Amino acid sequence: MKRAIDLISFNLENLTKKSLKKFENKKNSFLIGNWCRNDKEFKEDKNFKSLNFYNWNSKEKKTTDIKKIIEIYESLLHQISNNLNKIHNKNYSRKYWEFLLNRWLMAYVVDIYSKWKISDKLIKNYKIKNFYFINLNEKKFIPENTYHHNHLHKMLNGYWSHIIFRKILNYRLNNLKEKEISFFKFKKKYFDNSVKKYNTLKQKIFNFSFFKKIIFYKISFDKKIILHLKFRNLFFNFFIKNFKPNTNNRSLILRSDFAKLFPKQIDSLENFMVENINLSFPKIFLENYNFLEQSYLNLKWPKNPDFILTTYGHYYDELFKIYCAKNIIKNTKLYIFQHGDGGIFTDNDFYNTGWDKKICDKFFSWGKNKKNGYRNFYYTKKYINKKSHFLPVIGGKILSIMYGFNEQPYRPLNGFTDSYEINKGLILNNIKFCHKLDNNLKNRIEFKLLDDSKDEKVKFSLKKKFKKNKIIERNKNFLKILDEYNLIVHFYLGTP
């Protein structure tokens, strides 16, 4: 017999104290996941129980998940491309639309798929006696562009996750009993319109080349490497002016017309994604697409470049993306260069560099990597041309590289670990490591931190445990301080 539970799928910080007391120490009240916790540090909260369906050891099922995600992605890409051509009266190829949509569409599919799989476990193992919800204005969650969607669906307050879980359970269960509960109004920091900075692009470019037209844009290379490559290939480009476009939204009727173009899907999950695409589809590709295209026409960039090289530009820069899309359909070659960890994961690096490789002609990796069609290159972030040297042991320092991961459930269950547990483990491993050192060495440790956990719990826990040790903030360039330390300890294989 299934256990009857009361389910909470929003972060507890959203509740008033009066509302919160209704759930404390209730035997059958469960948080849908650890991301609903409002802990200030990593310690057991006896007042609330959390469900956790993540399974690191399910590697074969992870591969199955990826195959299904790709299948849905390709199906939706085909439909969305056709529908955008109809809405905007265009005839662009699927390749064109994929370059614009790839980052958003893959994130959307993976995010909804992940939450759908959590609902599978819930429905199979529990009877939801009461589903508590907070009433949110869904229109606030329609993203302006790709970055805005990324910001919204990973929001640490859990608003987006709560909206989607509520929609999924109402979609799949005929008799879901819902109970509304009072909560605090939106916190300004979660709706700060941070999207604005991604509406900025260099408008004019000073460019010349003797042979091939080559464009460098948002390329994460050391300056000396950039100069070397430009000199060797006899070209130069320099961006000389910024502009910030002000978009004028067309009527939301267009959004409704767009949604109506999708037929009912055979697959239940895919049908759910189509029915809720209105909530997630970025305005820049719909209401504001004409503006985006006109902005492209106003760009003073080289026409028909031979090569475009980038590291980050294809992620969230919509004007750069349309510049690439317009040119790659005319045989311009796009090369993308590795910027962080990658090239070492299973399933063709699907959740990492795999997304980049899908849209470029060549992907250049750091060092020798023969797998999956990588092009071997070298580490590009630092020009290294000096002899090795060792700092004196007396007075030497140790740098511990620490991370805090976003705890929202935007990755599938199989082959992943709950991010809250990862953050907790990183702290515990660091503490164990430091405790094995003598006091002299322990006092020499400094921490370099990249913390995306809710309320920076990792940082708070470090400060509480190591009050005398220095914590270096995320904006401090790791490569610039590297030589100041005798020993560097990593607790996660990533890019500091």
Side-chain angles (χ1 to χ4, degrees):
M1 182 181 293
K2 295 181 182 179
R3 181 176 179 178
I5 63 172
D6 294 333
L7 190 64
I8 300 170
S9 65
F10 46 81
N11 193 278
L12 293 174
E13 75 163 0
N14 296 300
L15 296 184
T16 62
K17 289 183 179 180
K18 184 178 179 180
S19 297
L20 196 60
K21 287 182 179 180
K22 294 180 181 179
F23 300 104
E24 288 182 346
N25 298 312
K26 297 294 184 182
K27 184 179 179 180
N28 291 318
S29 291
F30 282 84
L31 306 178
I32 197 172
N34 283 318
W35 59 87
C36 297
R37 294 180 177 275
N38 191 33
D39 308 341
K40 298 303 178 186
E41 56 183 305
F42 297 99
K43 63 180 181 180
E44 185 179 358
D45 187 348
K46 297 180 180 180
N47 294 326
F48 295 96
K49 300 178 289 294
S50 294
L51 301 175
N52 184 359
F53 301 116
Y54 279 88
N55 189 346
W56 167 257
N57 294 317
S58 298
K59 303 297 173 61
E60 291 184 3
K61 290 183 179 179
K62 180 182 179 183
T63 301
T64 302
D65 286 339
I66 290 172
K67 289 179 180 178
K68 182 62 176 179
I69 287 168
I70 292 173
E71 178 187 317
I72 294 174
Y73 169 90
E74 295 294 344
S75 173
L76 291 182
L77 176 63
H78 174 74
Q79 295 179 69
I80 293 171
S81 299
N82 289 339
N83 292 349
L84 286 175
N85 278 331
K86 291 176 182 177
I87 282 288
H88 298 307
N89 194 25
K90 304 291 182 182
N91 190 30
Y92 290 127
S93 66
R94 173 172 162 157
K95 183 178 181 180
Y96 171 86
W97 287 116
E98 181 171 26
F99 197 88
L100 291 177
L101 298 171
N102 169 267
R103 200 78 189 173
W104 166 79
L105 180 57
M106 192 64 81
Y108 176 66
V109 172
V110 172
D111 178 64
I112 302 300
Y113 182 89
S114 302
K115 292 173 174 57
W116 185 274
K117 287 301 177 181
I118 290 173
S119 75
D120 278 347
K121 296 287 187 180
L122 272 170
I123 293 169
K124 180 180 179 181
N125 295 290
Y126 299 95
K127 178 182 179 181
I128 302 174
K129 183 179 178 182
N130 295 297
F131 180 85
Y132 290 93
F133 74 94
I134 52 180
N135 198 6
L136 301 170
N137 182 356
E138 294 182 1
K139 290 183 179 179
K140 285 181 174 286
F141 294 86
I142 298 175
E144 294 290 334
N145 54 31
T146 308
Y147 172 78
H148 197 199
H149 174 261
N150 182 69
H151 174 72
L152 289 171
H153 90 273
K154 293 180 180 179
M155 282 194 310
L156 296 174
N157 62 355
Y159 288 150
W160 170 260
S161 293
H162 175 57
I163 286 175
I164 297 302
F165 278 121
R166 186 184 176 198
K167 283 181 172 293
I168 289 175
L169 291 173
N170 273 302
Y171 180 85
R172 302 186 71 178
L173 300 174
N174 295 324
N175 56 348
L176 182 66
K177 185 178 178 182
E178 294 189 290
K179 288 188 176 182
E180 185 174 357
I181 192 164
S182 59
F183 74 108
F184 292 116
K185 292 182 178 180
F186 287 140
K187 292 188 175 183
K188 185 178 180 181
K189 66 178 180 178
Y190 295 122
F191 291 92
D192 59 1
N193 207 17
S194 59
V195 62
K196 287 182 178 178
K197 64 180 179 179
Y198 287 90
N199 279 342
T200 302
L201 189 77
K202 275 68 177 178
Q203 184 183 22
K204 293 183 179 179
I205 180 174
F206 177 68
N207 175 274
F208 74 85
S209 57
F210 285 101
F211 301 109
K212 299 287 187 179
K213 283 185 183 178
I214 303 174
I215 302 296
F216 274 16
Y217 185 75
K218 289 193 175 179
I219 194 130
S220 184
F221 286 8
D222 185 284
K223 290 181 181 179
K224 292 181 180 178
I225 296 175
I226 291 177
L227 289 174
H228 170 76
L229 291 174
K230 288 180 176 179
F231 178 78
R232 184 174 179 178
N233 292 280
L234 298 177
F235 80 98
F236 180 79
N237 51 61
F238 180 70
F239 299 93
I240 56 177
K241 186 179 180 181
N242 286 352
F243 78 102
K244 294 184 178 181
N246 294 312
T247 56
N248 294 312
N249 292 330
R250 291 165 64 186
S251 171
L252 287 176
I253 295 175
L254 187 69
R255 184 165 291 265
S256 177
D257 291 343
F258 174 68
K260 289 176 184 177
L261 292 173
F262 292 90
K264 186 175 180 63
Q265 312 293 305
I266 297 174
D267 180 83
S268 181
L269 169 55
E270 189 172 346
N271 193 64
F272 175 82
M273 291 184 186
V274 165
E275 286 190 6
N276 290 279
I277 202 167
N278 259 3
L279 183 60
S280 301
F281 198 72
K283 294 178 183 177
I284 197 69
F285 307 128
L286 196 56
E287 292 93 342
N288 293 328
Y289 176 76
N290 287 345
F291 168 82
L292 176 64
E293 196 157 49
Q294 187 59 49
S295 298
Y296 161 76
L297 295 174
N298 292 335
L299 285 177
K300 308 300 181 183
W301 284 32
K303 306 296 183 185
N304 303 317
D306 295 291
F307 301 98
I308 300 174
L309 282 67
T310 189
T311 307
Y312 300 107
H314 59 295
Y315 288 168
Y316 305 120
D317 243 313
E318 308 297 1
L319 276 168
F320 174 72
K321 283 159 65 177
I322 196 172
Y323 175 78
C324 289
K326 295 283 189 180
N327 284 286
I328 61 176
I329 59 176
K330 296 185 290 188
N331 296 320
T332 293
K333 301 299 182 185
L334 174 68
Y335 295 166
I336 296 177
F337 292 80
Q338 184 173 344
H339 73 274
D341 61 341
I344 58 174
F345 302 109
T346 58
D347 299 302
N348 199 19
D349 284 282
F350 178 77
Y351 294 104
N352 190 270
T353 55
W355 296 11
D356 297 332
K357 287 194 299 175
K358 194 176 191 308
I359 59 171
C360 68
D361 294 284
K362 292 181 182 179
F363 184 89
F364 292 84
S365 65
W366 293 338
K368 293 182 179 180
N369 192 334
K370 297 180 180 179
K371 65 180 288 190
N372 303 325
Y374 287 106
R375 292 303 180 108
N376 295 335
F377 208 58
Y378 47 83
Y379 182 66
T380 56
K381 292 194 174 186
K382 188 174 179 66
Y383 179 76
I384 302 173
N385 185 24
K386 60 182 180 181
K387 295 181 179 179
S388 300
H389 71 283
F390 294 91
L391 296 174
V393 175
I394 299 175
K397 296 188 295 182
I398 300 172
L399 183 64
S400 176
I401 304 295
M402 288 290 294
Y403 292 83
F405 294 96
N406 186 308
E407 293 138 352
Q408 290 300 305
Y410 60 90
R411 287 287 184 262
L413 301 176
N414 298 312
F416 288 94
T417 302
D418 176 86
S419 294
Y420 180 94
E421 295 296 335
I422 292 176
N423 291 335
K424 184 178 177 180
L426 287 169
I427 289 292
L428 292 176
N429 287 336
N430 205 302
I431 292 172
K432 288 179 181 179
F433 170 75
C434 293
H435 279 173
K436 291 184 178 295
L437 303 176
D438 62 40
N439 288 332
N440 184 32
L441 286 176
K442 195 181 300 184
N443 292 332
R444 297 185 194 181
I445 292 180
E446 296 180 1
F447 299 97
K448 176 75 171 67
L449 190 61
L450 179 61
D451 193 1
D452 288 326
S453 62
K454 185 180 179 300
D455 298 324
E456 296 187 317
K457 280 195 291 290
V458 173
K459 181 179 178 180
F460 179 86
S461 299
L462 277 177
K463 281 187 172 182
K464 186 174 181 180
K465 196 67 182 179
F466 303 100
K467 296 178 181 178
K468 296 181 180 180
N469 298 78
K470 181 180 178 181
I471 294 180
I472 300 167
E473 298 295 343
R474 64 190 300 162
N475 58 351
K476 191 77 171 179
N477 191 314
F478 170 71
L479 295 174
K480 290 183 179 179
I481 63 174
L482 182 66
D483 294 334
E484 299 175 12
Y485 297 89
N486 298 68
L487 177 66
I488 297 175
V489 181
H490 293 253
F491 285 90
Y492 173 80
L493 187 60
T495 308

